[in-house]
Amino acid sequence: MTVAVEKPRKTGTEERPPAPARRVRTVNRSLVVAAILLVWLVLFAVLRGRQTLSLAAADLTDLHRWFNDVNDSIGADRNSNPLFLYFFNEIRLVIDTLVTFVQELISQPGAGRPVPQIGWLGVVGIAGYLSWAVGNWRVALLAVAGFTFLGLQGLWQESMDTLALTVSAVFVALLFAIPLGVWAGLSDRFHRIVTPFLDFMQTMPTFVYLAPLTLFFLIGPASATIATAIYAAPPAIRITAHAIRSVPETTVEAADSLGATRRQALLKVLLPMSRRTVVMGVNQTIMAALAMVTIAALIDAPGLGKTVVQALQSLDVGTAFNAGLAIVVMAIVLDRVTTAASARADTARGSDSPLVKWRRQLLAAGGVAALVLVYLSHTYVWAAEFPGDGGIGSSIAKAAADVTTWAQDNLSGLTNAFRDALTNGLLNPFQALLTDSPWWLVGAALVAVGAVLGGWRAGATTAVCVGLLVATGVWSDAMTTLASTAVATVLVMLLGVVLGVWMGRSALVDRLLRPSLDAAQVMPPFVYLVPFLALFGATRFTAIVAAVVYAAPVAIKIIADGVRAVPATTVEAATSTGCNTWQIITKVQLPMSRGALTLATNQGLIYVLSMVVVGGLVGAGALGYDVVAGFSQGQLYGKGLAAGLAIVLLGVMFDRITQAAARRTSA
């Protein structure tokens, strides 16, 4: 039925009324995701157990066998293939020479000597002097105390091996990273090209770098150093580029107007004004290198990481705790020294002041004292070999073992109840949904959720990742890892929202909590496994709890900054309308911080994934176990390599979906 509508008449100066604005219907993405999950659950109930692509731990696919054949053929042709003879082998030789040189300098017996070229007293003297030179006397005391404590733990040589690999890797990383960062800071085109590669490299967990590099550089310190350098380079490149691009344009224009060449502008203006930020990039590179060096113990890298790995595999919590504490001490010292260096780079001015003159004289005297200590440590055995038998380390290990025994005897009821409640109530059902559903159903659900949250590009990326995950032959293990990662990320976000909102609303709470969060981000992933291994034993739950604690600091800080960025006038307006605290948080601050929440989810996912796969060392199984087994059992090398590829695919999928969702949220 058609209804006639009389049109208004136009008279004189009467203007045509504006056409009503067309209403655009927006779809609530949360409802669409809920609908997708509901359909998935219904189909899961009907199709459970079919086409799950499960694979036993000892079974291999054609791809895994092909990887094994490639590994065998490369091993057979390593000394005859020109690509290896004149490229890979040469790189390995150069890196191995560098590592051997640094090791013989401070950790391993040198040629014709029973001790290193520089003994413990010289290393402590150099550490104290350099810390004073680039920082201040407080940092120097911390460095001296920290390095001395490493010896008292009975872990001097292991610590020096770790330091030698870290120094070698940082040197190689900065040798390429600083020039690339400067180039990216000067060239918009190169910046656009290199940024996606840096994003990809920083998305990949540490485990992923190990297997491919052993294929070309064999197992040993050289591969560990190369893997560490590759892993540690992106922060330096990114931060250096940011520093160069952050120099005010007016300053650069002023230099140009004075006739400065491009080289002079770089050396006299851009780099000096970027010095503080560049040193911060060096700090991040050192922290990343230390974290990677400890993980590289899986490919026979010497040092503290090997001690931790062996202790974890034998469930020796005391030894693992002692070595983990040494890693933490070294991380704190290196972090504080480089942080102090960045602060001094920003505050050191006025070379003619009396304070600076006295400092230079004192530094000269300190340099002489350090050289004397180096000479003594080079000449005398008592100054070369750390005295004592490491009694403090034995006491620490025994105390940690006793605490572990006490906790298992007295807290097992509480910890087991907590573990079982979370495992049976959340982890097992979600894992069953992922592993017992047909692979195509899980893939379709992931692609649909990716498209809804991140747009069609994220959906297409997810589809490619799902297809490649199927091709790796470790689909079931990938889904198990995905389940653990998702559950841990939910817990991270719950903790992040609670503490992040608290910090964002209270400056006092922020001042109290932020130093602890900063310190937590300094510690390598290995360290988090030890205390939870004592509490929960060698289970996948241990890896999940460790992942939550490892990833929570970054999520908490991002959410806190997002809540703090909400305009105070908006909060005051909500208060004036009678909103209580709960309403202000849920109706104003959290909705206006959606971009920060999505970014926190992105970072939490990446951190959790890297920790969950490391948890393969303590019973987490799935992809982490496959990678570890690939290093220790030659016939499983191909499966371990495929598992590493699967970890990359999961990381890329998580990263692209959450980044796209963050962009859509903030748009």
Side-chain angles (χ1 to χ4, degrees):
M1 181 176 66
T2 304
V3 179
V5 180
E6 184 179 358
K7 297 181 180 180
R9 297 180 180 178
K10 184 177 180 180
T11 59
T13 59
E14 182 182 359
E15 296 182 357
R16 185 186 300 272
R22 186 175 61 182
R23 297 182 61 186
V24 180
R25 299 186 62 183
T26 59
V27 180
N28 190 314
R29 289 196 289 268
S30 300
L31 293 178
V32 176
V33 171
I36 293 171
L37 296 179
L38 180 61
V39 173
W40 184 3
L41 289 172
V42 172
L43 294 177
F44 168 72
V46 177
L47 302 172
R48 182 172 186 174
R50 304 178 187 177
Q51 299 176 316
T52 58
L53 301 182
S54 59
L55 189 69
D59 291 345
L60 303 177
T61 67
D62 291 338
L63 177 65
H64 305 159
R65 297 187 184 92
W66 183 76
F67 280 152
N68 284 338
D69 292 340
V70 170
N71 185 37
D72 294 338
S73 63
I74 287 177
D77 298 339
R78 189 176 301 277
N79 295 322
S80 59
N81 189 308
L83 184 61
F84 281 88
L85 282 176
Y86 303 110
F87 185 69
F88 292 118
N89 289 356
E90 292 297 321
I91 293 177
R92 182 172 180 270
L93 178 62
V94 171
I95 299 298
D96 196 47
T97 301
L98 173 64
V99 174
T100 301
F101 169 76
V102 180
Q103 283 183 312
E104 290 182 350
L105 197 63
I106 63 174
S107 66
Q108 299 287 347
R113 291 171 55 86
V115 291
Q117 298 293 331
I118 302 176
W120 76 271
L121 191 62
V123 172
V124 171
I126 292 173
Y129 175 72
L130 290 179
S131 302
W132 183 26
V134 302
N136 52 59
W137 64 269
R138 296 181 183 87
V139 178
L141 287 179
L142 175 66
V144 170
F147 274 76
T148 304
F149 182 72
L150 297 176
L152 295 174
Q153 287 182 275
L155 296 170
W156 179 260
Q157 182 169 330
E158 292 86 345
S159 301
M160 292 303 100
D161 281 328
T162 298
L163 182 62
L165 291 181
T166 302
V167 169
S168 302
V170 169
F171 173 77
V172 174
L174 296 180
L175 193 63
F176 296 96
I178 297 298
L180 290 176
V182 171
W183 189 8
L186 296 175
S187 170
D188 292 337
R189 181 178 182 182
F190 182 70
H191 187 264
R192 288 193 300 269
I193 293 173
V194 77
T195 297
F197 290 98
L198 298 178
D199 293 339
F200 178 73
M201 292 174 68
Q202 291 190 286
T203 298
M204 293 192 296
T206 51
F207 260 31
V208 175
Y209 291 86
L210 302 180
L213 288 171
T214 59
L215 189 66
F216 298 102
F217 300 105
L218 297 177
I219 289 176
S223 293
T225 303
I226 294 170
T228 302
I230 294 174
Y231 178 75
I237 298 173
R238 190 187 296 275
I239 294 175
T240 301
H242 171 72
I244 296 295
R245 301 174 77 85
S246 298
V247 175
E249 292 185 5
T250 53
T251 305
V252 180
E253 292 172 356
D256 291 339
S257 65
L258 294 174
T261 64
R262 188 178 182 88
R263 178 186 179 87
Q264 290 173 329
L266 175 63
L267 298 178
K268 302 295 185 181
V269 178
L270 293 174
L271 287 179
M273 295 190 67
S274 307
R275 184 167 49 185
R276 176 187 174 95
T277 307
V278 171
V279 176
M280 290 176 59
V282 175
N283 169 274
Q284 294 301 303
T285 298
I286 292 174
M287 292 298 101
L290 181 59
M292 186 65 181
V293 162
T294 55
I295 297 289
L298 294 171
I299 55 174
D300 202 31
L304 295 169
K306 178 174 286 188
T307 304
V308 175
V309 169
Q310 292 173 348
L312 290 177
Q313 291 175 337
S314 61
L315 303 183
D316 185 354
V317 176
T319 301
F321 182 84
N322 187 44
L325 180 61
I327 295 173
V328 172
V329 169
M330 184 174 292
I332 291 174
V333 170
L334 295 178
D335 177 63
R336 293 298 179 265
V337 169
T338 50
T339 301
S342 67
R344 175 160 293 279
D346 187 54
T347 58
R349 297 290 188 271
S351 59
D352 293 330
S353 66
L355 182 61
V356 172
K357 289 182 178 180
W358 278 108
R359 176 178 171 83
R360 288 178 175 176
Q361 294 172 356
L362 291 173
L363 283 176
V368 173
L371 290 176
V372 171
L373 295 180
V374 169
Y375 171 77
L376 293 175
S377 70
H378 178 78
T379 307
Y380 299 101
V381 175
W382 63 266
E385 294 181 347
F386 199 92
D389 56 356
I392 290 181
S394 300
S395 300
I396 292 173
K398 184 179 183 302
D402 292 341
V403 170
T404 299
T405 303
W406 179 88
Q408 292 173 347
D409 292 341
N410 296 277
L411 301 179
S412 58
L414 180 62
T415 57
N416 290 345
F418 176 64
R419 180 191 64 196
D420 294 342
L422 191 60
T423 300
N424 297 326
L426 185 60
L427 180 58
N428 285 346
F430 189 53
Q431 181 173 315
L433 179 64
L434 287 168
T435 58
D436 294 348
S437 293
W439 69 267
W440 52 266
L441 177 59
V442 179
L446 291 175
V447 171
V449 170
V452 171
L453 295 179
W456 70 269
R457 289 186 178 87
T461 302
T462 305
V464 173
C465 290
V466 167
L468 293 176
L469 279 172
V470 173
T472 61
V474 289
W475 173 265
S476 182
D477 286 347
M479 293 303 99
T480 301
T481 298
L482 174 58
S484 299
T485 302
V487 170
T489 303
V490 170
L491 298 177
V492 166
M493 291 306 297
L494 289 175
L495 190 61
V497 168
V498 172
L499 294 181
V501 170
W502 194 16
M503 288 176 60
R505 290 176 54 84
S506 171
L508 175 62
V509 174
D510 187 274
R511 287 196 300 271
L512 292 175
L513 291 184
R514 192 169 290 269
S516 299
L517 298 178
D518 292 339
Q521 287 190 274
V522 171
M523 294 189 293
F526 262 15
V527 177
Y528 290 88
L529 292 175
V530 178
F532 298 110
L533 177 65
L535 287 175
F536 301 106
T539 65
R540 56 182 174 162
F541 185 77
T542 300
I544 291 176
V545 177
V548 171
V549 177
Y550 177 63
V554 64
I556 292 171
K557 291 198 293 186
I558 292 173
I559 294 173
D561 293 340
V563 170
R564 191 178 299 104
V566 175
T569 53
T570 305
V571 177
E572 292 170 358
T575 304
S576 65
T577 60
C579 292
N580 56 34
T581 301
W582 175 254
Q583 291 172 328
I584 291 174
I585 294 173
T586 57
K587 303 296 184 182
V588 178
Q589 291 178 316
L590 285 179
M592 295 187 69
S593 305
R594 283 180 299 179
L597 290 171
T598 311
L599 178 60
T601 304
N602 170 271
Q603 293 300 296
L605 271 169
I606 300 305
Y607 275 67
V608 164
L609 178 61
S610 65
M611 191 66 195
V612 165
V613 295
V614 172
L617 293 169
V618 292
L623 295 178
Y625 172 80
D626 292 337
V627 174
V628 175
F631 292 131
S632 58
Q633 304 176 42
Q635 71 275 16
L636 295 179
Y637 177 85
K639 190 174 185 179
L641 195 60
L645 177 60
I647 294 169
V648 174
L649 295 171
L650 288 177
V652 170
M653 184 171 65
F654 291 151
D655 183 63
R656 291 298 175 265
I657 292 175
T658 50
Q659 280 202 19
R663 288 192 294 269
R664 296 183 71 179
T665 300
S666 59

